[in-house]
Amino acid sequence: MASSSILLSEDQFLCSICLDVFTEPVTTSCGHNFCMVCITKYRDSNDLCQCPLCKEKLYRQPELRVNTTLRQVVENFKRMRDRGKDESPPKPGKVACDVCTGKKLSAMKSCLVCLTSYCETHLEPHQIAPALKRHKLIDPVENLEDRICKKHDRLLELFCRTDQTCVCQTCVCQADHKTHDTVPIEEECGERKAQLGKTEAEVQLIIQERLKKVEEIRLSVDLSKRDVEREIADSVQVFTALVRSIEKSQAELIEVIEEKQKAVERQAEGFIKELEQEITELKRRSTDLKQLSQTEDHLQLLQNFPSIVYTPPPTKDWSEISVHSDLCVGTVRRAVSQMEEALSKEMEKLPEVKLQRIQQYTVDVTLDPDTANLYLILSEDGKQVRCGEIPQNLPDNPKRFNQHLIVLGKDGFSSGRFYYEVMVKGKTSWSLGVARESIDRTGIITLSPEDGCWTVILRDGNDYHGCTSTPVLLYLREKPQKVGVFVDYEEGQVSFYDVEARSHIYSFTGCTFTEKLFPYFGPSDDDDDDGQNSAPLIISPVNHTC
């Protein structure tokens, strides 16, 4: 079509007024052709209306009309001209037209009936002729002869599920496949694509699990590094006050800790390397699966399907593999405990060192008014709570405690470590700790882990208890003025400290947490305190330099 346009000259279709190819061409009485707009403007703008070419007088009436035949010829010429501009030889990797002579153009479609690939121009008969319209067209492919049955010289359009091979209609009628389960090749490809999609999704899931495991290991290494740094710093602080005879023990201890960390890092690097190798292989497999699932080449899909889907790359079960650092806290303590009197004096400083370390996990705690019992009064900044004499006029809320004078913190924690401090100065009764999210808000509860709270309480001004199923009486040297609460979610530990005395009060250990934990505040545990317990509980900022 493009080559035929060479027989037509563009000069034949130029308007002599605008010097461009005709638009809505009209023919004047003298037989010359112009664009409708061009000749109309020319005629209306001149007193003496003459043909621009032959100067024959033109009459303003009758009105000019478009020459429909000429317009159609011009439009066909424009299409052929524009198509000739757009057509280009096939790029490397593209399928060439089988009909083009001389310079081959890129094929637009391949016909499975004609076994021929056509460019846009030569494809037109298949889009116009009724008989050719029934032919099956696909995206252009090479080697169309491979789609013909070698035995019967017919198109491979069926798939034998029994023999797992592509066959033609004649194959099905003969004994080799007559009783076999055969379906149209498109139907089998549809099922295979669905299976490919499922397999690709499974591969993507495995990739995500591996990536998550890599991050988990890297995080474990980072945490291990920070723990090691703290352990080393603590050991240095303890041992620097000792005599030279202890320096050797200190150096050996640090070396052991660092060697264990190096072992952890080596182990982690090995795991990461294996995981990254698996991820690379899985990504390559994912790409193959995507490419195969998106191909329109049914034969290629079926031929490559078994090698890609049924031969998955070898992968390891990583669910039970993790990196652990075996730090030497016990080693430090055993070494220090064996030292002479000077060392035991240094041991007295260890609780202070430990509290300083714990304070690194300080979080900003704010009271949640939606959980506060109606008799509790909260400060505007949500940092203080005290008991009132009359209930507050507040809306019903399923989170609110109805039977106990309790309020929780706004934010809960489901992993990691956190620490906060509460001023209890001037109070004769209080309870502090953490509670799980599902703790009963409407009924009577006992302050115990069985009912979902881990707390220490003060009663009658001097009686301190750790609230287990059987309360543990605590003997404290001094009356705490400020209490620190520390939680290690993964280790299952809740500990309480006298901040000013830098001493340990009580710890819940070996706990199993399965849901969010919220800071717990009870400003009163006495039914009648005669106003002696009116001081508020105050969430205090943590002083890290103490």
Side-chain angles (χ1 to χ4, degrees):
M1 196 75 148
S3 60
S4 64
S5 67
I6 299 175
L7 301 176
L8 300 175
S9 171
E10 186 171 305
D11 294 339
Q12 297 173 281
F13 301 103
L14 292 182
C15 172
S16 60
I17 297 176
C18 66
L19 301 180
D20 200 355
V21 178
F22 290 127
T23 301
E24 298 294 309
V26 297
T27 304
T28 62
S29 58
C30 60
H32 292 114
N33 298 302
F34 306 93
C35 298
M36 168 70 86
V37 174
C38 294
I39 190 62
T40 301
K41 286 185 177 180
Y42 177 82
R43 186 182 64 180
D44 294 344
S45 62
N46 292 275
D47 295 334
L48 182 59
C49 187
Q50 295 179 333
C51 172
L53 295 177
C54 68
K55 304 303 181 182
E56 181 177 324
K57 184 178 181 179
L58 300 178
Y59 295 95
R60 300 185 186 279
Q61 298 294 335
E63 183 178 348
L64 295 172
R65 296 189 179 183
V66 175
N67 186 329
T68 55
T69 302
L70 180 57
R71 178 176 63 182
Q72 184 175 1
V73 172
V74 171
E75 288 178 351
N76 288 336
F77 171 78
K78 286 181 179 179
R79 283 197 296 270
M80 289 186 293
R81 180 191 63 184
D82 295 340
R83 184 179 301 165
K85 293 178 182 178
D86 294 337
E87 289 177 340
S88 58
K91 297 179 180 178
K94 297 289 185 178
V95 178
C97 174
D98 293 328
V99 182
C100 286
T101 58
K103 184 173 67 174
K104 295 282 188 179
L105 301 179
S106 295
M108 298 294 293
K109 292 289 182 179
S110 294
C111 177
L112 293 180
V113 178
C114 303
L115 295 179
T116 306
S117 297
Y118 300 102
C119 65
E120 183 178 5
T121 300
H122 294 120
L123 184 65
E124 285 188 359
H126 278 75
Q127 299 170 334
I128 298 173
L132 296 179
K133 279 185 176 181
R134 292 193 291 270
H135 287 193
K136 186 169 184 178
L137 299 176
I138 63 172
D139 289 337
V141 294
E142 295 180 339
N143 303 323
L144 285 168
E145 61 275 6
D146 292 341
R147 300 171 183 274
I148 299 299
C149 177
K150 300 296 188 294
K151 186 175 182 180
H152 305 109
D153 200 27
R154 294 191 62 181
L155 182 66
L156 296 171
E157 52 186 351
L158 297 172
F159 182 76
C160 176
R161 288 177 171 172
T162 305
D163 293 339
Q164 293 292 298
T165 185
C166 295
V167 296
C168 68
Q169 290 284 0
T170 305
C171 293
V172 175
C173 297
Q174 295 187 352
D176 289 348
H177 299 281
K178 191 171 185 178
T179 60
H180 290 182
D181 180 14
T182 57
V183 295
I185 198 169
E186 293 85 354
E187 179 181 339
E188 183 66 18
C189 283
E191 295 187 11
R192 295 294 179 94
K193 282 191 174 184
Q195 187 175 353
L196 284 170
K198 182 179 178 181
T199 304
E200 198 274 333
E202 292 173 352
V203 171
Q204 285 293 336
L205 181 61
I206 296 173
I207 291 174
Q208 294 304 316
E209 290 175 350
R210 298 302 187 267
L211 289 172
K212 185 178 179 181
K213 196 67 178 181
V214 168
E215 289 302 316
E216 179 184 326
I217 293 175
R218 284 178 175 156
L219 179 60
S220 297
V221 172
D222 291 339
L223 292 175
S224 179
K225 284 183 178 180
R226 288 197 290 270
D227 287 343
V228 166
E229 290 168 359
R230 285 193 293 269
E231 290 296 330
I232 294 175
D234 291 348
S235 66
V236 170
Q237 184 174 352
V238 172
F239 279 92
T240 50
L242 302 179
V243 293
R244 292 182 179 179
S245 61
I246 304 176
E247 291 178 353
K248 182 179 178 180
S249 299
Q250 176 193 12
E252 292 175 350
L253 178 62
I254 294 175
E255 184 179 354
V256 169
I257 295 175
E258 291 178 336
E259 184 57 33
K260 290 193 176 186
Q261 172 58 20
K262 289 178 181 178
V264 169
E265 292 181 358
R266 288 194 296 270
Q267 183 186 37
E269 288 174 358
F271 288 161
I272 290 173
K273 185 176 180 181
E274 286 187 52
L275 284 165
E276 289 176 341
Q277 289 175 348
E278 283 194 19
I279 290 170
T280 299
E281 183 61 32
L282 288 168
K283 284 183 176 178
R284 186 182 301 112
R285 178 173 172 78
S286 175
T287 300
D288 293 343
L289 288 168
K290 283 183 178 178
Q291 290 177 347
L292 188 59
S293 66
Q294 293 172 359
T295 184
E296 296 294 332
D297 189 339
H298 301 150
L299 183 62
Q300 181 187 9
L301 186 149
L302 295 173
Q303 289 175 340
N304 295 339
F305 183 92
S307 63
I308 292 181
V309 175
Y310 296 138
T311 56
T315 56
K316 184 190 293 186
D317 182 7
W318 290 90
S319 59
E320 300 299 326
I321 295 178
S322 59
V323 176
H324 300 285
S325 59
D326 184 14
L327 297 176
C328 301
V329 180
T331 305
V332 174
R333 296 188 183 280
R334 284 193 300 272
V336 173
S337 65
Q338 294 171 1
M339 298 301 167
E340 298 180 345
E341 184 176 353
L343 181 58
S344 42
K345 288 181 181 180
E346 290 298 321
M347 282 291 292
E348 294 177 359
K349 298 181 181 179
L350 285 178
E352 180 175 349
V353 172
K354 186 168 185 177
L355 184 57
Q356 288 177 351
R357 184 195 311 166
I358 287 172
Q359 288 176 331
Q360 298 179 54
Y361 299 100
T362 298
V363 294
D364 184 16
V365 176
T366 302
L367 301 174
D368 184 359
D370 290 342
T371 65
N373 183 278
L374 296 178
Y375 281 89
L376 297 182
I377 301 173
L378 276 58
S379 62
E380 291 186 3
D381 62 359
K383 298 296 184 181
Q384 300 185 27
V385 58
R386 61 182 178 87
C387 297
E389 297 181 357
I390 60 174
Q392 306 292 306
N393 184 16
L394 298 173
D396 291 337
N397 193 306
K399 296 168 61 178
R400 193 179 308 284
F401 287 91
N402 294 335
Q403 300 294 328
H404 296 274
L405 300 177
I406 297 172
V407 61
L408 301 182
K410 279 187 177 181
D411 298 321
F413 302 86
S414 56
S415 64
R417 302 165 180 170
F418 62 94
Y419 173 82
Y420 62 95
E421 294 179 356
V422 183
M423 182 69 72
V424 296
K425 185 176 181 179
K427 296 190 66 61
T428 60
S429 175
W430 50 259
S431 57
L432 291 173
V434 292
R436 67 188 177 204
E437 189 171 20
S438 63
I439 188 173
D440 187 5
R441 314 294 176 100
T442 59
I444 302 295
I445 60 173
T446 60
L447 296 184
S448 67
E450 288 73 18
D451 275 359
C453 55
W454 293 260
T455 59
V456 165
I457 66 171
L458 166 65
R459 287 181 178 153
D460 300 325
N462 290 300
D463 293 338
Y464 295 90
H465 291 84
C467 294
T468 59
S469 54
T470 302
V472 178
L473 182 62
L474 306 177
Y475 299 94
L476 306 182
R477 295 180 183 179
E478 301 178 23
K479 184 175 182 178
Q481 304 299 301
K482 186 186 289 186
V483 175
V485 182
F486 172 70
V487 178
D488 187 328
Y489 195 96
E490 281 73 23
E491 290 296 325
Q493 175 183 343
V494 182
S495 297
F496 300 83
Y497 295 88
D498 183 337
V499 177
E500 294 183 352
R502 317 299 286 173
S503 62
H504 176 254
I505 296 175
Y506 184 73
S507 287
F508 294 89
T509 58
C511 309
T512 301
F513 303 128
T514 58
E515 54 186 280
K516 275 189 176 181
L517 299 179
F518 290 81
Y520 168 107
F521 304 86
S524 177
D525 273 324
D526 289 338
D527 295 332
D528 184 10
D529 56 19
D530 297 327
Q532 298 179 20
N533 194 35
S534 58
L537 289 176
I538 304 173
I539 301 171
S540 303
V542 176
N543 183 1
H544 295 276
T545 61
C546 291

